[in-house]
Amino acid sequence: MPDLDESERDGLDLSRRKLRAPRIAIVHEWLQVNAGSERVLEQLLLCFPDADLFATVDFMSPKERAFLKGRKVTTTFIQKLPGAKRLFRHYLGLMPMAIEQLDVSAYDIVISSNHAVAKGVLTGPDQVHVSYVHSPMRYIWDLQHQYLRQAGLGWSLKAIYVRWLFNKMRLWDFASAQHVDHFIANSRYIARRVKKAYARDASVIHPPVDVTDFTIGRQKGDFYLLAGRFVPYKRADLVVSAFQADPGRKLVVVGDGPEAAKVRAAAKGASNIEFRGSVPKSELIDLMQGARAAIFAAEEDFGIAMVEVQACGTPVIAFGKGGALDIIETAEEACPTGILFDDQSVESIKDALARFDAMAADIAPETCRANALRFSEERFRDRMRSFVQDMAGAEV
């Protein structure tokens, strides 16, 4: 073979790789419960059925791992550390090293599903690394101070250690982000967080939402719906307080969590507020279908529940930051599907309810559902497959 210059050799290598199907590795954070990021993982495995799967640990139960379809998972040394099954998150300081020990050198394309360390997997110059970011690590970046306050960590010896660890994690997190070829964020809000934390641009592909069971109901009721887990950032107490001050409106509250007592206390025994606790999925769907509107006061990274409500043909009243800006079409749009409010406050929620009264007749159930279908699983798979093919320059 005649001598080739560097560009010609690179072109020849690329041509050879195109003669076979690219080998793909998917790197997930950890497998413990089947939650939001696992929905994304399930769809990635459907997009790329021949891909091999890697994770820091795998402690998912047989019942919840059905979506893996018997797929072998390659894990790190953390899998075998003492107490890892219950306390693997306590090994956060070891996770950067652990993820770097996963050997993905045999693959042409690496796709990481990242909200902690997965994007830190090591790749070479001839590999394409696409990282789907659910969120940069909130607790080490912009929400560090909030996390420390909620954990009661002031300046004790333990608190000083945690602050030192977070500092080290930030340095590693930024450095590892520079080795990713292409970032995808699950919302425009997360794309801005990627830019702020990593100084990198990110394309936006919204996460997949299974809207199959969430359909338009037969008839709307006269109640509003508040549903979700009662944790501090959800601000469910604000919604309850707004209805406690407005006895003419009925609120049905569904959910449970560490702030349940605080949320119930905000009602002050008001007769227009009904607490249902945790309910089966079928009952929740019935409530979503029958509600006049559903209310969300949290600043969400995306907000899958908002999409599910819209799929039921129900308007959404939501705090106007985070993922809600990608989901809700407002009065400024041709076909509105809900209302956004500016502040996480009782007064702002009451104002949003009044504005909703004025425009509720302009929001059609069919418009809400059509809006939700923008986030279907099929659409996610199509967009992910096209993105990876474009970035890798090969059919996948």
Side-chain angles (χ1 to χ4, degrees):
M1 180 181 292
D3 291 338
L4 302 175
D5 63 27
E6 184 175 353
S7 62
E8 290 173 324
R9 286 195 298 271
D10 288 344
L12 181 60
D13 289 341
L14 179 60
S15 297
R16 286 170 175 169
R17 288 200 298 273
K18 286 183 176 180
L19 293 177
R20 58 171 172 77
R23 294 164 294 191
I24 301 176
I26 297 176
V27 184
H28 193 60
E29 298 291 5
W30 47 70
L31 291 163
Q32 183 191 32
V33 295
N34 193 343
S37 63
E38 284 69 36
R39 295 186 191 184
V40 171
L41 174 60
E42 179 180 10
Q43 297 304 312
L44 288 175
L45 293 173
L46 290 173
C47 280
F48 311 107
D50 296 326
D52 290 329
L53 181 58
F54 297 78
T56 53
V57 297
D58 176 13
F59 295 118
M60 186 170 280
S61 69
K63 180 180 179 181
E64 292 197 301
R65 67 188 302 111
F67 74 96
L68 297 177
K69 299 178 180 177
R71 191 182 303 265
K72 177 181 178 293
V73 182
T74 301
T75 58
T76 71
F77 65 84
I78 293 178
Q79 180 82 20
K80 298 181 179 180
L81 292 181
K85 187 170 184 178
R86 292 188 304 107
L87 304 172
F88 66 88
R89 289 180 178 83
H90 289 212
Y91 291 112
L92 177 66
L94 293 176
M95 285 188 180
M97 180 173 67
I99 205 74
E100 290 174 355
Q101 303 314 305
L102 289 176
D103 184 2
V104 296
S105 58
Y107 300 89
D108 304 297
I109 301 169
V110 176
I111 304 170
S112 58
S113 171
N114 183 83
H115 59 78
V117 299
K119 69 172 185 355
V121 68
L122 300 178
T123 56
D126 294 325
Q127 295 174 287
V128 175
H129 181 181
V130 175
S131 185
Y132 187 93
V133 181
H134 307 278
S135 174
M137 284 185 276
R138 307 174 189 88
Y139 44 88
I140 70 168
W141 289 101
D142 51 312
L143 297 185
Q144 173 189 278
H145 302 296
Q146 178 181 326
Y147 170 84
L148 293 172
R149 281 195 304 272
Q150 291 175 351
L153 294 173
W155 287 99
S156 64
L157 188 60
K158 177 182 178 181
I160 292 172
Y161 166 74
V162 170
R163 292 169 192 270
W164 172 85
L165 175 61
F166 284 2
N167 175 264
K168 294 297 183 183
M169 290 295 294
R170 274 193 298 277
L171 295 174
W172 175 86
D173 200 34
F174 178 84
S176 64
Q178 308 316 305
H179 301 288
V180 174
D181 295 298
H182 308 284
F183 277 108
I184 302 172
N186 69 358
S187 68
R188 290 178 293 171
Y189 173 63
I190 294 302
R192 293 197 300 274
R193 295 191 76 236
V194 168
K195 184 71 171 180
K196 189 75 171 181
Y198 305 146
R200 296 290 305 277
D201 292 325
S203 300
V204 175
I205 298 179
H206 298 114
V209 183
D210 183 2
V211 297
T212 306
D213 296 328
F214 298 86
T215 57
I216 297 175
R218 295 180 181 177
Q219 187 174 358
K220 289 295 179 188
D222 63 348
F223 66 93
Y224 294 82
L225 177 65
L226 169 63
R229 182 160 170 75
F230 299 149
V231 291
Y233 88 93
K234 294 285 189 181
R235 303 312 309 269
D237 57 311
L238 292 179
V239 178
V240 172
S241 293
F243 279 82
Q244 189 277 332
D246 189 355
R249 301 180 192 274
K250 182 179 178 182
L251 177 68
V252 175
V253 183
V254 173
D256 204 349
E259 294 230 314
K262 180 180 179 181
V263 174
R264 287 178 178 272
K268 298 179 182 178
S271 61
N272 62 315
I273 302 174
E274 178 186 355
F275 289 90
R276 298 270 186 104
S278 297
V279 301
K281 180 180 177 180
S282 59
E283 184 177 341
L284 177 60
I285 292 174
D286 287 342
L287 290 168
M288 287 181 173
Q289 291 171 333
R292 179 170 164 80
I295 305 181
F296 298 88
E299 182 175 336
E300 299 281 5
D301 293 339
F302 177 65
I304 285 176
M306 285 185 266
V307 177
E308 292 171 342
V309 166
Q310 295 265 274
C312 291
T314 299
V316 168
I317 301 171
F319 179 46
K321 285 191 177 181
L325 295 173
D326 287 16
I327 297 170
I328 310 305
E329 302 289 342
T330 63
E332 288 74 23
E333 310 294 335
C335 299
T337 67
I339 288 280
L340 300 176
F341 53 92
D342 295 332
D343 301 306
Q344 288 176 312
S345 69
V346 170
E347 290 305 315
S348 191
I349 293 171
K350 290 168 66 176
D351 174 71
L353 288 166
R355 287 189 289 119
F356 177 73
D357 284 343
M359 67 168 294
D362 298 329
I363 301 178
E366 294 77 15
T367 301
C368 292
R369 177 159 180 80
N371 181 49
L373 294 179
R374 294 189 294 127
F375 309 101
S376 69
E377 293 175 333
E378 293 79 8
R379 183 174 175 82
F380 173 84
R381 291 196 298 269
D382 288 344
R383 294 192 66 194
M384 278 299 303
R385 195 178 292 111
S386 295
F387 185 93
V388 172
Q389 286 183 173
D390 290 346
M391 295 303 104
E395 190 78 19
V396 295

